[in-house]
Amino acid sequence: MITTLFLDRALLADGWADGVRITSEDGVITAVDTGAEPRTGEAREALGVAGVPNLHSHAFQRAMAGLAERRGPARDSFWTWREVMYRFLERLNPDDVEAIATYAYAEMLESGFTAVAEFHYLHHAPDGAAYDNLAELALRHLAAAEETGIGVTLLPVFYAHSTFGGAAPTAGQRRFINDADSFAAIVEAARAANGGRSGRGVGVAPHSLRAATPEELEAILPLAPEGPVHIHAAEQIKEVEDCLAWSGQRPVEWLLEHAGVDQRWCLIHATHLTEAETAGLAASGAVAGLCPITEANLGDGIFPASAYLEAGGRFGVGTDSNIAIGAAEELRQLEYAQRLSLRGRNLLSRREGESTGRALLQGAQAGGAQALGQPLGALAVGQRCDVVCLEMLHPDMVGRDGDLAIDTWVFALGKAAIGSVYAGGQRVVEMGRHVARSAIDIRYRNVLRRLMSE
Ligand code: NGQ
Ligand code: ZN
């Protein structure tokens, strides 16, 4: 199907353009004309930018938002949060998982994320037994993407151990566990279901160096020879210390030296880096998968973003735990953590006069697209037709055109700045609301009602 969208103003790869007509066929952009006049009857918006890829989501965690914010008996940490999260996920059945993912993906679209990399490790039934279809829960995430219109790169997660050195998994991890064969079957099923369509991708994700041994890494990487490969790394100091005790090296140092990290890779968090690791990761061509809101919520630490960008590093943003979902909000938190730790302003833009909001947005679009391994993240021929349109009639937008509109979105308005969102050429958000919002809410409420009463 061929559709057109007329934008009074749009941010293209080489800057702002006026009178932009974007033509797409089956969800992929086939022409971008500038200096055009609107035609009667065609979809028309005031100001549009390409959608933002969300490079890291555990969709199911959305349903525990707000449930781990009560002080415990000892010092709360990432590790005590993880215990709460493990107890929470024990109760989820496949319908729950689909309803929660659908709800999370709708909110992602409403906030400017038009594609998501789902780092999917909840594979099995509550007792750890495989579902009749090994890929049951993987396919539920694809169904959620289908229902909402969001693009998705599914990253089945390989998880086999509780910590470094091949330690046996804990009872709380029984829903995650596969061997190389059952894992390959899940990757295969995800590929078959995606069928090479636009906005659909499949990669692999060894969960972390805690959960996969070097031998297992070697066995599973050939399942996605072109990538993408995602892995959690160096999020917590304890993880760095345990990795040093195991190998004599820090997690990112180990990966750079032994795993062949290159542009196919995305290292999630990579929070705790030495200067040498910062430079090495930047030089590798891999993407740093930053999840600023979750990292703040979990007390992870602050990624050295300013130094990393200075070294030419690539990055994207992810919503990870989905405690709060917002594209602008993630970019804002990323910049604000640098401001608080370095006591400066406009730290992640690079040139004098450059808009920090736009630098963050375009950085995350490029790095996010690379991490998803799909042609998306820019308004250009051959890319998925994902367009986020700002609500220029909002009182806060008066007099703010171009870069100033982006800065006002990122630093002031967040989600409230968003009017329409097109994903794969379809308008899926109107006046800031997903077109199926009511039905999605009803289903999600019913799931939460049951989970909260059990
Ligand atoms: C996860 N989340 O896989 O959901 C992890 C916690 C772990 C974050 N790292 C579990 N933020 O890393 O062991
Ligand atoms: Zn994660």
Side-chain angles (χ1 to χ4, degrees):
M1 195 179 57
I2 299 179
T3 57
T4 72
L5 169 61
F6 185 88
L7 298 155
D8 295 338
R9 206 142 201 239
L11 183 56
L12 307 181
D14 50 4
W16 290 100
D18 292 323
V20 178
R21 174 171 297 106
I22 297 176
T23 308
S24 64
E25 195 167 341
D26 299 329
V28 178
I29 299 175
T30 52
V32 179
D33 299 301
T34 59
E37 293 294 329
R39 295 178 189 139
T40 36
E42 86 182 321
R44 179 176 177 178
E45 305 281 352
L47 184 146
V49 302
V52 184
N54 175 0
L55 57 59
H56 192 68
S57 161
H58 309 289
F60 76 85
Q61 290 177 13
R62 171 59 195 198
M64 63 172 283
L67 299 183
E69 310 299 333
R70 188 194 306 233
R71 192 170 170 129
R75 188 170 192 273
D76 286 314
S77 69
F78 171 88
W79 306 101
T80 58
W81 167 83
R82 196 176 74 158
E83 288 306 316
V84 177
M85 190 265 282
Y86 282 2
R87 282 199 299 279
F88 180 78
L89 65 79
E90 291 193 345
R91 292 177 280 164
L92 303 177
N93 68 41
D95 289 341
D96 298 340
V97 168
E98 185 175 330
I100 297 165
T102 304
Y103 182 82
Y105 293 172
E107 189 170 357
M108 288 174 197
L109 285 160
E110 290 173 345
S111 87
F113 287 119
T114 46
V116 58
E118 181 64 34
F119 195 104
H120 166 62
Y121 62 86
L122 186 63
H123 296 300
H124 308 308
D127 63 358
Y131 288 107
D132 289 343
N133 181 347
L134 266 178
E136 175 72 37
L137 295 182
L139 300 183
R140 296 303 189 119
H141 287 86
L142 296 182
E146 202 64 46
E147 287 161 55
T148 55
I150 201 166
V152 64
T153 290
L154 191 69
L155 301 166
V157 172
F158 180 84
Y159 202 115
H161 308 286
S162 59
T163 191
F164 296 94
T170 65
Q173 295 165 339
R174 63 188 177 272
R175 301 191 72 173
F176 319 158
I177 307 302
N178 281 295
D179 59 24
D181 289 338
S182 58
F183 179 69
I186 295 173
V187 175
E188 201 45 54
R191 282 227 172 82
N194 270 343
R197 285 178 304 148
S198 135
R200 293 284 180 277
V202 176
V204 295
H207 180 275
S208 54
L209 289 176
R210 290 176 272 127
T213 64
E215 296 70 34
E216 288 162 345
L217 269 184
E218 226 165 281
I220 64 169
L221 293 184
L223 294 171
E226 310 298 325
V229 181
H230 289 217
I231 187 168
H232 290 119
E235 181 180 9
Q236 283 281 319
I237 296 290
K238 175 174 164 24
E239 179 190 343
V240 175
E241 290 169 350
D242 290 353
C243 190
L244 277 165
W246 164 66
S247 68
Q249 289 184 307
R250 304 161 58 83
V252 172
E253 183 185 16
W254 191 95
L255 285 166
L256 290 171
E257 190 171 319
H258 301 282
V261 171
D262 59 16
Q263 76 291 334
R264 296 167 304 151
W265 285 70
C266 178
L267 270 55
I268 304 301
H269 308 302
T271 309
H272 300 287
L273 301 178
T274 62
E275 279 177 29
E277 287 175 308
T278 305
L281 183 57
S284 74
V287 176
L290 310 176
C291 308
I293 292 174
T294 296
E295 288 155 9
N297 181 266
L298 297 181
D300 289 337
I302 299 175
F303 176 82
S306 181
Y308 178 74
L309 293 194
E310 201 70 43
R314 304 174 190 185
F315 77 97
V317 292
T319 59
D320 193 353
S321 68
N322 295 305
I323 174 86
I325 295 174
E329 290 78 355
E330 293 290 353
L331 299 174
R332 182 192 306 157
Q333 178 69 29
L334 176 58
E335 167 75 20
Y336 278 2
Q338 300 298 302
R339 293 190 187 187
L340 288 165
S341 67
L342 301 174
R343 290 183 236 132
R345 300 191 74 252
N346 295 316
L347 290 162
L348 299 180
S349 40
R350 318 265 317 125
R351 289 174 286 100
E352 183 182 346
E354 186 181 23
S355 145
T356 302
R358 176 172 161 190
L360 287 162
L361 174 70
Q362 291 189 305
Q365 287 168 333
Q370 180 180 323
L372 266 64
Q374 292 194 48
L376 43 78
L379 300 180
V381 171
Q383 305 270 309
R384 188 170 191 252
C385 185
D386 293 340
V387 190
V388 174
C389 304
L390 300 186
E391 186 43 83
M392 298 307 289
L393 297 177
H394 195 290
D396 281 319
M397 284 295 189
V398 173
R400 264 97 156 159
D401 209 355
D403 289 355
L404 287 178
I406 305 293
D407 284 329
T408 304
W409 172 30
V410 170
F411 291 103
L413 281 174
K415 257 178 281 203
I418 293 180
S420 304
V421 176
Y422 296 76
Q426 302 293 314
R427 183 161 59 204
V428 294
V429 172
E430 294 171 358
M431 292 169 64
R433 250 175 93 85
H434 191 278
V435 293
R437 176 45 86 184
S438 308
I440 290 168
D441 281 359
I442 289 171
R443 186 150 64 125
Y444 182 72
R445 268 179 207 284
N446 286 333
V447 168
L448 275 198
R449 235 179 240 130
R450 200 197 80 242
L451 291 173
M452 297 304 291
S453 66
E454 270 174 4

